[in-house]
Amino acid sequence: MNENEAIERIKYRMHTAGQVTGESGMEDLEMAIKALEEVQQYRAIGTPEECRKSLEICKAMVERNITPDDMENYMKFEDECIKQGFTLDSILKSREKQTAKKIEIFNGQASCPNCKHFFGEMNVIRSLIAWNMPYCKHCGQKLDWSDEE
């Protein structure tokens, strides 16, 4: 018997046998209904194991500074990829196959050869971790930061 069936049986007995159970018996039955309804609400939330897993995921998101807006944008992106026939795995694999393009330098400023995003002055960039940045964060282009022509 599930909660819905139990609730219905208790309600039926309350209406048909009210005179037998008395007032305190009716209160007990009402309390039983409330308890069963609460169980239903908890089950709607998920099992304890599902809740623990959700909590772990939320903690990992907080540690990575991922906001709910970030997740919403990611889900929209993933939906669009699926509509286009891509999976995240296929996108990552194709990205790894991408040929790196040499960064462009104009007046000492480094930029992406694909989207023309400026990264900053080349002499400053050489001293930063960004020097080893493999992809343009704006367009995803694989970058070649080497000094060789």
Side-chain angles (χ1 to χ4, degrees):
M1 174 185 321
N2 65 32
E3 295 91 22
N4 284 331
E5 293 168 336
I7 290 169
E8 290 307 311
R9 284 177 93 175
I10 292 170
K11 284 181 178 178
Y12 174 76
R13 289 199 177 161
M14 286 173 69
H15 294 299
T16 59
Q19 65 276 11
V20 177
T21 58
E23 194 172 311
S24 65
M26 293 296 271
E27 288 172 5
D28 292 345
L29 293 174
E30 286 173 0
M31 194 166 35
I33 289 174
K34 286 181 182 176
L36 288 167
E37 288 172 342
E38 190 174 322
V39 167
Q40 286 178 319
Q41 291 172 346
Y42 280 112
R43 286 210 175 137
I45 295 170
T47 65
E49 186 58 31
E50 290 169 329
C51 291
R52 279 188 208 100
K53 285 180 183 178
S54 295
L55 183 61
E56 288 172 20
I57 290 169
C58 289
K59 284 180 181 178
M61 287 174 58
V62 168
E63 288 170 4
R64 292 175 176 86
N65 295 321
I66 298 172
T67 66
D69 286 341
D70 294 334
M71 286 305 298
E72 184 178 346
N73 288 333
Y74 170 75
M75 288 186 289
K76 287 176 185 175
F77 167 75
E78 187 175 41
D79 289 344
E80 189 60 35
C81 288
I82 290 169
K83 285 180 194 172
Q84 301 281 341
F86 296 106
T87 64
L88 185 57
D89 188 50
S90 70
I91 291 171
L92 292 173
K93 285 179 181 174
S94 66
R95 185 172 162 184
E96 291 306 313
K97 292 178 186 176
Q98 192 183 88
T99 304
K101 288 186 179 178
K102 184 89 174 105
I103 58 160
E104 294 177 346
I105 301 173
F106 181 73
N107 287 338
Q109 298 283 320
S111 67
C112 174
N114 193 47
C115 71
K116 308 303 181 201
H117 172 75
F118 278 100
F119 298 109
E121 290 186 33
M122 198 58 197
N123 62 352
V124 174
I125 291 174
R126 281 193 176 104
S127 66
L128 300 174
I129 296 172
W131 172 252
N132 294 317
M133 185 173 62
Y135 294 100
C136 175
K137 68 178 182 178
H138 293 275
C139 71
Q141 173 62 50
K142 192 171 189 177
L143 299 171
D144 175 1
W145 288 87
S146 66
D147 288 332
E148 303 92 40
E149 288 297 320

